Amino acid sequence: MAEKDIAEKNLEALNDVFADIVNVLLFKGKRIIQEDELEADATKSMFKADGKIHEQERDVSKFWKNGEIRIAILGFENQTVQDYKMPLRVISYDGASYKKQLLDKKLDKNFPVATLVLYFGTKNRWTAPKNLCACFEIPKEIKPFVSDYKINVFEISWLDDETIEKFQSDFKIVAKYFQTKRLNADYKGSKEKIKHVDETLKMLSVLTGDDSFEKVYNESNFSKKGGVTMCEVVDKIINKGRFEGKQEVIRNLIESNVGSLEQIAAWVKLPVEEVQKIAEKVPVRG
C-alpha cells in the first residue's frame, strides 16, 4: 500500500500535473491555476482518539498561492475501489487543515480547503456516498440539526473524449488508459511524448496491478531518450510478452527432448544464440 501511495504521489505531486488535473476537473480546462502558484503542503496530520495520538495522511495536498498569500488548499484522494466511508475520511482531512489554520497564530487570513476524490474503477460507477449524511441512519428528530458535507468525486474511467483532450499533462495518458480499459477496447497508446516517463509508468503499474509498464521502463533506455510515446511503450510490452511466451515453449521442447537447438530456433523464429541461453537455464534431468 505504501508503494502504491508513493507511485501515485510521484506523478500527481508534480506541479504541472497537479494544476492540470484541477484545471480540467474543476474549471473545464480553463488555466485558472498555474503550476508556479502551487506549493507543497504537509500531507500528514495528527488527531487524538482513545487517549492516543494517531496519524492520518492525504494522498497529495498543495497550497494555491497568489504571490506570497495562500488562498486555498487543494488535495487529492485516489481510489481504485469504492469506499463507503469516503465522506468521513474527506471531512477528517479537511477538518485537520482547518484546525491547523485555527491554531496558527501568525496566520492573518483563513483560506478554504477543497478535496478531489479521483476514482479509477473501471467495472462500476461510483455508488458509494458522496455526502456525509448518506453515511448514517439519522433519526428524523435530529436530521434538521445534522450538518451535511459533500465530497467531490471524479470518475476518471468515465470521462468523455472531450474532457480527456483538455488535459495538457501526462495525466491525459492515465485518463485515456482507464477510459479504454473501462470500454474493454484494445489500448494502443498515443504518439504524444510522455514528459514524466518514470512517474507515469509507475502510476499505471500500481493503479492497474500490472507491472509490465514499470518492467518495460526498467529494462529499456527510455529515460536516456528524453521522452517516449505510449505507442512505443505498448509495443515493448507486447514484444516482451511474445518473447516470454516463446521462452516457455522452448523450455517445454527442451525438457521433452524434441528437436535440436537449431530446429527449435527455427520453429520459434529466434536466433540459435537466444535459444542456447534459455536452454542453459533448463535443469538437467538425471
Side-chain angles (χ1 to χ4, degrees), residues 189-220:
S190 69
K191 295 183 179 180
E192 296 179 54
K193 292 287 185 181
I194 308 172
K195 182 178 180 181
H196 308 291
V197 184
D198 182 35
E199 292 87 350
T200 300
L201 297 185
K202 281 181 178 176
M203 184 172 186
L204 284 171
S205 284
V206 296
L207 288 177
T208 62
D210 181 356
D211 62 0
S212 299
F213 297 100
E214 190 171 359
K215 280 184 176 180
V216 163
Y217 174 79
N218 291 335
E219 295 171 6
S220 70

Side-chain angles (χ1 to χ4, degrees), residues 78-216:
N78 298 302
Q79 291 294 125
T80 54
V81 297
Q82 299 192 55
D83 185 344
Y84 286 80
K85 295 184 178 180
M86 200 70 210
L88 279 75
R89 286 180 54 195
V90 171
I91 197 172
S92 69
Y93 296 139
D94 293 356
S97 295
Y98 287 124
K99 180 70 172 180
K100 188 175 180 180
Q101 294 181 50
L102 186 64
L103 297 176
D104 189 349
K105 304 299 183 182
K106 298 179 181 179
L107 192 65
D108 296 326
K109 184 179 180 181
N110 295 319
F111 39 85
V113 181
T115 298
L116 287 67
V117 178
L118 308 182
Y119 173 56
F120 294 92
T122 57
K123 300 297 183 183
N124 301 295
R125 302 296 297 262
W126 182 277
T127 57
K130 291 184 179 181
N131 62 294
L132 187 63
C133 286
C135 297
F136 318 112
E137 291 185 8
I138 306 174
K140 62 180 181 181
E141 293 83 1
I142 67 167
K143 192 170 184 177
F145 309 101
V146 178
S147 298
D148 207 353
Y149 197 83
K150 76 177 184 69
I151 63 174
N152 308 297
V153 179
F154 297 92
E155 300 171 285
I156 304 304
S157 304
W158 269 266
L159 295 178
D160 56 35
D161 289 334
E162 183 181 357
T163 300
I164 291 175
E165 283 303 312
K166 291 177 181 176
F167 289 111
Q168 297 180 7
S169 71
D170 291 338
F171 194 78
K172 178 193 285 188
I173 294 167
V174 176
K176 189 62 182 178
Y177 178 84
F178 278 92
Q179 182 208 51
T180 306
K181 186 177 180 182
R182 189 261 301 175
L183 294 172
N184 291 317
D186 184 21
Y187 181 73
K188 297 179 181 179
S190 69
K191 295 183 179 180
E192 296 179 54
K193 292 287 185 181
I194 308 172
K195 182 178 180 181
H196 308 291
V197 184
D198 182 35
E199 292 87 350
T200 300
L201 297 185
K202 281 181 178 176
M203 184 172 186
L204 284 171
S205 284
V206 296
L207 288 177
T208 62
D210 181 356
D211 62 0
S212 299
F213 297 100
E214 190 171 359
K215 280 184 176 180
V216 163

Side-chain angles (χ1 to χ4, degrees), residues 11-12 15-27 31 76 116 118 156 167 169 171 203:
L11 181 66
E12 293 173 345
N15 278 3
D16 65 314
V17 179
F18 190 100
D20 190 38
I21 293 171
V22 175
N23 285 330
V24 172
L25 297 183
L26 296 192
F27 310 129
R31 301 291 116 179
F76 295 162
L116 287 67
L118 308 182
I156 304 304
F167 289 111
S169 71
F171 194 78
M203 184 172 186

